């Protein structure tokens, strides 16, 4: 009886797109409605569940090619969802970036776009010489990347020790007024720079560090900002140059200082994430002062002040060298933790080295999680 039923179904089912028939309960006798039902559901799921891309931007000038490539590699190794890289670089670096990134194209987990360094033409010279070369480019990302809704900006000296997905998910924690997220510049006011030396307004007690900046760019473009230049609230594209003109003789850290001034006047617009998302030498150089990192490990390492390339902070350099030399081969990634731990044990003569386990605690979990995921998600 079962065989006859199966034979009848096979012989009467047409071999074409069954959803041609509508409504499905009025199908001709030789068309199987169940197939139509599943096909419709499948098409609907594809339509409403596009794969979300995480947008990551970086600005690279001078001799920052290798450092930037190491940062991008750390993002690729651990992240789950696809990545879209927006790389702003001097023209002479474009071919090198393209060659290196094309050699990674077999991974199929990222796309990239290269952009020239561009500033508003009438004030380009002033923006170019603000702080480090090209650094202020990040201020104009909401105006250049007009089609991008949300973006994670990072400096070239950033290393991801856990998936980009995790910091990307913080966008969902923004309340209705928040447009961007950064970490405090300092945890300990006694060694804070802004609260001791700044000659301009800054956010909170110790200011914020812009080396890792998560942005809802749609909200940034729409918002009118309170300021101390006029009673009229100004949009992002209109506030930057007046701010520079007013404070250019009083700012030390360039675009970061301008961001601090903006969020001083608009504190409700900033989401502040903990120091483990932007861990710098200041968090351990005089003793550990990032409690979240002590408890859960470092999530994002920020080797500012050139510590990846000198011997002042060997713990930071050890992490950088380990990731720079790591390939995308499973064997290399699996062995990353053990080899790095051995190198970090050689740094215990420094304050940062004494707490070296926080440098690998989250890394170990990220490696384990990577190989516990289904192969198609790696």
């Amino acid at each position: 009886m079962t065989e006859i039923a199966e034979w009848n179904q096979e012989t009467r089912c047409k071999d074409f797109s069954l959803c041609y028939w509508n409504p499905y309960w009025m199908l001709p006798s030789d068309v199987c409605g169940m197939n139509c039902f599943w096909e419709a559901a499948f098409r609907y799921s594809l339509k409403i569940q596009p794969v979300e891309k995480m947008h990551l931007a970086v600005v690279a000038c001078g001799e920052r090619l290798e450092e930037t490539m190491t940062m991008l590699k750390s993002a690729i190794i651990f992240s789950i969802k696809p990545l879209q890289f927006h790389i702003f670089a001097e023209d002479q670096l474009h071919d090198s970036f393209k060659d290196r990134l094309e050699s990674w194209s077999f991974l199929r987990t990222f796309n990239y776009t290269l952009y020239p360094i561009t500033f508003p033409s009438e004030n380009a010279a002033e923006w170019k010489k603000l702080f480090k070369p090209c650094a202020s480019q990040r201020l104009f990302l909401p105006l250049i990347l007009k089609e991008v809704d949300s973006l994670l900006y990072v400096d070239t000296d950033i290393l991801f020790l856990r998936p980009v997905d995790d910091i990307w998910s913080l966008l969902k924690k923004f309340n209705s007024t928040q447009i961007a997220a950064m970490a405090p510049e300092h945890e300990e006011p006694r060694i804070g720079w802004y609260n001791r030396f700044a000659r301009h307004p800054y956010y909170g007690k110790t200011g914020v560090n812009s080396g890792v900046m998560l942005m809802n760019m749609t909200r940034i473009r729409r918002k009118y900002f309170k300021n101390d230049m006029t009673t009229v609230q100004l949009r992002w594209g209109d506030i930057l140059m007046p701010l520079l003109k007013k404070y250019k003789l009083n700012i030390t850290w360039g675009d970061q200082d301008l961001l601090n001034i903006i969020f001083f006047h608009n504190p409700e617009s900033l989401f502040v994430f903990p120091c483990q998302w932007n861990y710098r030498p200041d968090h351990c150089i005089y003793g550990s002062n990032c409690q979240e990192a002590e408890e859960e490990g470092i999530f994002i390492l920020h080797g500012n002040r050139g510590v990846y390339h000198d011997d002042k902070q060997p713990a930071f350099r050890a992490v950088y060298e380990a990731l720079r030399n790591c390939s995308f081969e499973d064997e290399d990634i699996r062995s990353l933790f053990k080899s790095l731990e051995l190198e970090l044990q050689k740094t215990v003569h420094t304050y940062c080295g004494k707490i070296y386990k926080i440098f690998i605690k989250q890394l170990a979990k990220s490696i384990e999680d990577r190989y516990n995921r289904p192969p198609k998600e790696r």
Side-chain angles (χ1 to χ4, degrees):
M1 185 69 179
T2 303
E3 291 178 356
I4 294 174
E6 289 177 350
W7 180 85
N8 284 338
Q9 182 172 323
E10 289 174 4
T11 56
R12 73 181 182 85
C13 285
K14 298 292 188 182
D15 187 20
F16 55 79
S17 179
L18 302 182
C19 285
Y20 168 82
W21 305 101
N22 187 30
Y24 74 90
W25 57 83
M26 295 178 61
L27 297 175
S29 60
D30 60 349
V31 175
C32 297
M34 185 58 70
N35 289 347
C36 177
F37 220 29
W38 286 117
E39 182 181 340
F42 178 69
R43 288 186 178 184
Y44 181 72
S45 68
L46 285 180
K47 185 177 180 181
I48 66 170
Q49 295 180 12
V51 177
E52 179 190 10
K53 283 187 178 180
M54 301 178 293
H55 291 261
L56 188 151
V58 64
V59 180
C61 289
E63 299 179 354
R64 296 292 183 127
L65 173 68
E66 193 66 33
E67 196 172 80
T68 305
M69 292 303 300
T70 304
M71 179 275 291
L72 296 175
K73 183 193 294 183
S74 71
I76 292 169
I77 285 176
F78 299 120
S79 295
I80 302 168
K81 290 193 289 287
L83 290 156
Q84 176 66 50
F85 296 139
H86 301 273
I87 303 168
F88 292 78
E90 291 174 307
D91 293 344
Q92 63 266 29
L93 294 177
H94 280 218
D95 286 344
S96 297
F97 269 117
K98 186 175 181 180
D99 290 345
R100 297 283 294 274
L101 288 164
E102 288 297 324
S103 72
W104 293 354
S105 60
F106 68 94
L107 295 168
R108 301 184 182 278
T109 56
F110 72 94
N111 289 308
Y112 72 91
T113 306
L114 285 164
Y115 305 83
I117 300 296
T118 53
F119 296 106
S121 56
E122 64 272 20
N123 306 111
E126 283 193 79
W127 288 113
K128 284 180 180 178
K129 64 184 181 182
L130 181 65
F131 193 45
K132 296 178 181 178
C134 308
S136 55
Q137 179 73 80
R138 85 180 89 183
L139 295 175
F140 300 96
L141 297 182
L143 307 178
I144 297 171
L145 303 176
K146 294 179 181 179
E147 303 304 314
V148 177
D149 174 68
S150 296
L151 182 75
L152 175 63
Y153 166 85
V154 296
D155 286 347
T156 60
D157 50 9
I158 290 295
L159 293 172
F160 293 94
L161 304 184
R162 67 182 293 171
V164 174
D165 306 64
D166 295 332
I167 189 168
W168 191 257
S169 69
L170 296 181
L171 286 164
K172 296 177 181 178
K173 295 189 177 183
F174 284 17
N175 66 28
S176 60
T177 67
Q178 291 167 335
I179 65 173
M182 288 182 276
E185 173 69 14
H186 288 282
E187 300 300 308
E188 175 49 68
R190 288 177 295 179
I191 61 171
W193 193 91
Y194 283 110
N195 55 292
R196 293 189 296 159
F197 305 118
R199 294 176 294 162
H200 59 79
Y202 55 89
Y203 179 88
K205 293 182 179 179
T206 60
V208 286
N209 183 280
S210 59
V212 179
M213 185 175 179
L214 186 63
M215 294 177 273
N216 183 319
M217 303 232 286
T218 299
R219 290 186 180 183
I220 291 175
R221 288 186 285 261
R222 290 175 179 170
K223 183 174 174 60
Y224 287 87
F225 294 86
K226 299 186 291 291
N227 61 88
D228 59 359
M229 299 169 292
T230 172
T231 55
V232 178
Q233 296 186 18
L234 300 174
R235 284 196 165 185
W236 191 261
D238 300 321
I239 199 172
L240 296 176
M241 196 62 216
L243 268 183
L244 178 61
K245 287 182 177 179
K246 177 170 182 176
Y247 287 105
K248 65 181 179 181
L249 298 179
N250 294 325
I251 58 177
T252 302
W253 308 113
D255 51 306
Q256 177 173 289
D257 290 348
L258 296 182
L259 290 168
N260 267 279
I261 295 168
I262 289 172
F263 287 110
F264 169 83
H265 292 291
N266 301 270
E268 75 287 349
S269 297
L270 189 65
F271 178 99
V272 180
F273 48 67
C275 47
Q276 63 201 42
W277 292 104
N278 186 350
Y279 191 92
R280 285 158 279 124
D282 285 338
H283 290 120
C284 57
I285 191 171
Y286 303 117
S288 181
N289 60 57
C290 177
Q291 183 178 346
E292 291 87 352
E294 293 176 29
E295 294 171 357
E296 299 180 274
I298 298 167
F299 296 170
I300 294 178
L301 194 69
H302 186 176
N304 63 343
R305 302 180 184 172
V307 295
Y308 293 152
H309 312 293
D310 59 31
D311 297 321
K312 293 179 180 178
Q313 294 299 330
F316 281 76
R317 183 168 184 171
V319 179
Y320 173 77
E321 292 292 339
L323 282 164
R324 184 174 72 86
N325 295 326
C326 184
S327 75
F328 292 106
E329 296 293 330
D330 285 347
E331 184 178 345
D332 261 18
I333 297 172
R334 288 180 188 274
S335 63
L336 181 62
F337 171 80
K338 283 295 182 185
S339 59
L340 177 55
E341 184 176 31
L342 292 174
E343 289 301 313
L344 286 170
Q345 287 173 354
K346 301 174 184 177
T347 71
V348 293
H349 60 285
T350 66
Y351 278 116
C352 295
K354 286 178 181 176
I355 54 171
Y356 74 85
K357 290 186 178 180
I358 71 169
F359 286 79
I360 52 176
K361 188 172 186 177
Q362 187 58 222
L363 183 67
K365 184 178 185 303
S366 296
I367 294 172
E368 181 182 1
D369 289 348
R370 172 187 165 90
Y371 291 105
N372 285 337
R373 295 198 299 266
K376 67 178 181 180
E377 294 184 7
R378 293 177 191 168

